């Protein structure tokens, strides 16, 4: 097992990563006082709730399981209310802990429930998708969706600990594994050239779910994200770098209807487009853009966006929350592992990238 810390002063917390650690009672014990409410869903619960429950109960904690529906549509008010109903029915007090067992959907919803239940109680993240292990479980963003936008209702609420068991990825559908790899590649491409090179050498091992490789990839991703979160908890600066590929990616998700493309798939094609835009602005060598595209292709991820006409692209990207005062803001690359936020990107260059991608999509 490997452990690291997210340095947030009095709210600092550990991230434990390893194979088979879900059942390690000692990892939970320091954070449990009275009752532990485990929020999970109908897919993950049958697989991993018994093991987690046994570990929690062995510390003497009372366990209240709360099983919600599966899928992104679970991030809504009614489901949150079901969680509050269950917490109140079981009389959970302020000394209780919510444990999120599942992917990013369960983590975001359970984390938000913990942020507001009785003005905020402790929570633990037990992420079971690669995306949740490398991204959503770290950093304290919690939210549900609104009909008018994803993640529009939420709070910053840091977990007390993250326990990422890479053995749970054995049961993850292949497509979800690849989508998680997109965020791993993002961490290398945007923040760490050496990690990017490691990914190039180990992508097959990751696709084969070799545990040592997965442990390293999760660990390095968490380290990179944790360092940024420690510096910029509420996303006023450096944290924006984690959005590399996301301006194009969010537009792809919105244009194709949420769910048709997985988030990671949209980010994958979005990173290829952002790298291409970096080349056109002169900040990145073409050979580096080609290199990133190759890695994304080898991960079995899309490198070409769906057909979206230019006006729609521009409309969707202007709606993206990262574009301030009508100007086009993008996270671009200045080299392998070196992303930078550019606030005045020339729209003509953006149009060139869109035209090229439309031609490629044909
Ligand atoms: N809070 C953040 O900082 C942050 C960052 C990125 C993404 N997110 C959010 O995360 C969500 C996406 O998370 P996700 O990709 O983990 O999706 P998800 O939670 O929907 O999980 C994907 C699918 O895998 C299933 N699953 C989960 N673990 C499994 C396992 N071990 N074995 C088999 N099946 C398993 C789930 O039931 C689901 O069908 C989005 O709502 C997104 O907004 C949040
Ligand atoms: Zn993302």
């Amino acid at each position: 097992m490997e452990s690291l810390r997210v340095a947030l002063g009095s709210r600092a917390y550990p991230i434990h990563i390893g194979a088979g650690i879900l059942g390690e009672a000692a990892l939970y014990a320091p954070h449990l006082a009275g009752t532990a409410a485990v929020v999970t869903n109908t897919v993950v619960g049958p697989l991993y709730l018994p093991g987690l429950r046994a570990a929690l109960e062995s510390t003497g904690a009372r366990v209240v399981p709360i099983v919600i529906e599966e899928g992104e549509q679970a991030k809504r008010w009614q489901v949150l209310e079901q969680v509050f109903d269950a917490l109140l029915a079981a009389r959970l007090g302020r000394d209780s802990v919510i444990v999120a067992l599942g992917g990013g959907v369960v983590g975001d919803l359970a984390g938000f429930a913990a942020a507001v239940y009785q003005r905020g109680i402790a929570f633990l993240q037990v992420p079971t998708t690669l995306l949740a292990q490398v991204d959503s479980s770290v950093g304290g963003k919690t939210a549900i969706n609104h009909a008018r936008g994803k993640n529009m209702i939420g709070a910053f609420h840091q977990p007390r600990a993250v326990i990422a068991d890479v053995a749970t990825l054995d049961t993850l559908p292949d497509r979800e594994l690849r989508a998680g790899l997109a965020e791993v590649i993002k961490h290398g491409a945007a923040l760490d050239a050496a990690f990017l090179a490691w990914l190039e050498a180990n992508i097959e091992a990751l696709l084969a779910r070799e545990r040592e490789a997965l442990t390293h990839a999760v660990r390095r991703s968490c380290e990179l994200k944790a360092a940024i979160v420690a510096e910029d908890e509420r996303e006023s600066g450096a944290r924006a770098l984690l959005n590399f590929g996301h301006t194009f990616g969010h537009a792809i998700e919105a244009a194709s209807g949420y769910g048709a493309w997985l988030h990671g798939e949209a980010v994958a094609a979005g990173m290829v487009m952002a790298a291409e835009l970096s080349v056109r602005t002169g900040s990145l060598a073409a050979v580096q853009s080609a290199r990133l595209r190759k890695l994304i292709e080898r991960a079995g991820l899309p490198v070409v966006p769906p057909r979206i006409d230019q006006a729609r692209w521009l409309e969707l990207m202007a709606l993206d929350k990262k574009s301030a005062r009508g100007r086009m803001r993008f996270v671009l690359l200045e080299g392998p592992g070196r992303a930078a936020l550019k606030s005045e990107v020339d729209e003509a260059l953006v149009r060139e990238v869109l035209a090229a991608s439309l031609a490629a999509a044909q």
Side-chain angles (χ1 to χ4, degrees), residues 121-144:
I121 63 171
F123 94 111
L124 303 177
Q125 288 271 22
V126 184
T128 63
T129 65
L130 184 57
L131 180 128
Q133 294 185 352
V134 300
D135 192 351
S136 63
S137 68
V138 177
K141 282 190 187 175
T142 74
I144 58 170

Side-chain angles (χ1 to χ4, degrees), residues 62-241:
R62 175 174 71 122
V63 174
V64 175
I66 303 175
V67 182
I68 64 169
E69 65 192 72
E70 105 94 22
E72 178 73 27
Q73 79 289 344
K75 280 172 63 173
R76 65 177 200 275
W77 276 117
Q78 290 88 331
V79 178
L80 191 63
E81 229 172 314
Q82 287 167 19
V83 172
F84 293 141
D85 288 348
L87 296 175
L88 289 164
R91 300 178 186 283
L92 262 79
R94 301 211 64 245
D95 62 343
S96 307
V97 177
I98 291 180
V99 184
L101 172 68
V105 165
V106 166
D108 277 15
L109 179 108
F112 186 44
V116 296
Y117 181 73
Q118 296 189 2
R119 300 190 184 86
I121 63 171
F123 94 111
L124 303 177
Q125 288 271 22
V126 184
T128 63
T129 65
L130 184 57
L131 180 128
Q133 294 185 352
V134 300
D135 192 351
S136 63
S137 68
V138 177
K141 282 190 187 175
T142 74
I144 58 170
N145 301 326
H146 184 276
R148 288 178 182 270
K150 265 192 71 154
N151 299 325
M152 284 296 120
I153 317 291
F156 282 95
H157 189 53
Q158 299 292 346
R160 293 288 171 89
V162 181
I163 293 110
D165 185 345
V166 297
T168 63
L169 304 180
D170 284 353
T171 52
L172 193 65
D174 217 43
R175 196 175 161 201
E176 298 286 351
L177 182 82
R178 290 171 199 269
L181 279 176
E183 302 283 6
V184 175
I185 292 171
K186 177 195 77 179
H187 288 129
L191 302 170
D192 184 349
F195 184 44
L196 187 66
W198 183 88
L199 288 169
E200 289 176 320
N202 290 278
I203 193 73
E204 274 82 24
L206 292 169
L207 288 167
R209 304 178 199 226
E210 287 178 18
R211 288 176 176 181
E212 225 174 284
L214 284 170
T215 301
H216 180 74
V218 173
R219 190 218 158 99
R220 190 65 193 131
S221 284
C222 287
E223 268 171 2
L224 290 163
K225 182 162 182 184
I228 287 211
V229 167
E231 183 184 325
D232 178 23
E233 186 178 5
R234 294 191 170 233
E235 192 163 341
S236 51
R239 196 157 175 172
L241 300 183

Side-chain angles (χ1 to χ4, degrees), residues 166-331:
V166 297
T168 63
L169 304 180
D170 284 353
T171 52
L172 193 65
D174 217 43
R175 196 175 161 201
E176 298 286 351
L177 182 82
R178 290 171 199 269
L181 279 176
E183 302 283 6
V184 175
I185 292 171
K186 177 195 77 179
H187 288 129
L191 302 170
D192 184 349
F195 184 44
L196 187 66
W198 183 88
L199 288 169
E200 289 176 320
N202 290 278
I203 193 73
E204 274 82 24
L206 292 169
L207 288 167
R209 304 178 199 226
E210 287 178 18
R211 288 176 176 181
E212 225 174 284
L214 284 170
T215 301
H216 180 74
V218 173
R219 190 218 158 99
R220 190 65 193 131
S221 284
C222 287
E223 268 171 2
L224 290 163
K225 182 162 182 184
I228 287 211
V229 167
E231 183 184 325
D232 178 23
E233 186 178 5
R234 294 191 170 233
E235 192 163 341
S236 51
R239 196 157 175 172
L241 300 183
L242 297 172
N243 286 327
F244 173 60
H246 281 60
T247 302
F248 290 112
H250 286 152
I252 293 170
E253 286 183 275
S256 49
Y258 287 99
W261 280 56
L262 294 179
H263 174 72
E265 294 168 341
V267 168
M271 287 191 289
V272 173
M273 296 176 79
E276 195 45 42
L277 182 58
S278 309
V279 173
R280 284 175 200 264
T281 63
S283 70
L284 186 71
V287 59
Q288 295 301 340
S289 169
R291 192 181 146 197
L292 178 60
R293 183 192 176 105
K294 182 88 201 287
L295 176 60
I296 291 170
E297 227 163 15
R298 286 173 62 208
L301 286 160
V303 291
V304 174
R307 287 190 54 86
I308 303 169
D309 72 53
Q310 219 176 83
R312 182 89 178 115
W313 267 116
L314 291 169
E315 180 191 319
L316 288 168
M317 291 196 297
L319 285 176
D320 188 277
K321 60 178 184 268
K322 286 176 298 299
S323 47
R325 297 185 309 279
R327 295 208 180 85
M328 307 226 74
R329 273 171 72 181
F330 283 93
V331 178

